[in-house]
Amino acid sequence: VQLVESGGGLVQPGGSLRLFCAASGVVFSNYAMSWYRQAPGKERELVAYITSSGGSTNYGDSMKGRFTISRDNAKNTVYLQMNSLKPEDTAVYYCNARGLVREYWGQGTQVTVSS
């Protein structure tokens, strides 16, 4: 099983980024998918969650209205569109796949918001 994140980078405050997480080795449509993030010296926190069908989503409080999670089960990919980025959004962003029995993590992608 492999989850590979991409799309991170350096962006100015107020800018946008789109993160991608490509899954392989799993029946992707069986897994709820989430994005988490971890900033230096802080605990990992939930960014966004989407059910296996894509019919329902949930967001961390500070992300609501700015971030959008979506998925394409035909492409085994989950996306995170991040708008109106703030310096406090700087963190490593991780993709998570959660099934009935197991969960998997990606290696993370760095997002840095700075002028």
Side-chain angles (χ1 to χ4, degrees):
V1 177
Q2 196 171 20
L3 300 176
V4 180
E5 300 100 333
S6 61
L10 174 65
V11 64
Q12 292 186 344
S16 298
L17 279 177
R18 185 172 170 89
L19 303 185
F20 304 79
C21 173
S24 60
V26 294
V27 180
F28 184 70
S29 59
N30 286 349
Y31 288 78
M33 299 298 296
S34 300
W35 288 95
Y36 285 78
R37 71 185 185 187
Q38 188 166 21
K42 294 187 177 181
E43 293 186 354
R44 191 171 294 191
E45 63 173 338
L46 176 69
V47 174
Y49 165 90
I50 188 167
T51 55
S52 57
S53 68
S56 181
T57 59
N58 192 24
Y59 298 89
D61 287 341
S62 63
M63 299 82 171
K64 292 178 181 177
R66 299 190 298 125
F67 292 7
T68 302
I69 188 170
S70 60
R71 66 189 294 162
D72 185 337
N73 284 350
K75 295 182 178 180
N76 287 6
T77 300
V78 63
Y79 309 92
L80 184 67
Q81 178 67 42
M82 304 186 294
N83 299 327
S84 302
L85 283 162
K86 305 174 183 180
E88 51 264 43
D89 294 318
T90 296
V92 178
Y93 284 70
Y94 297 91
C95 178
N96 171 274
R98 185 170 300 165
L100 292 178
V101 176
R102 297 184 179 91
E103 69 172 344
Y104 303 98
W105 292 90
Q107 82 289 348
T109 185
Q110 176 71 45
V111 171
T112 302
V113 184
S114 175
S115 54

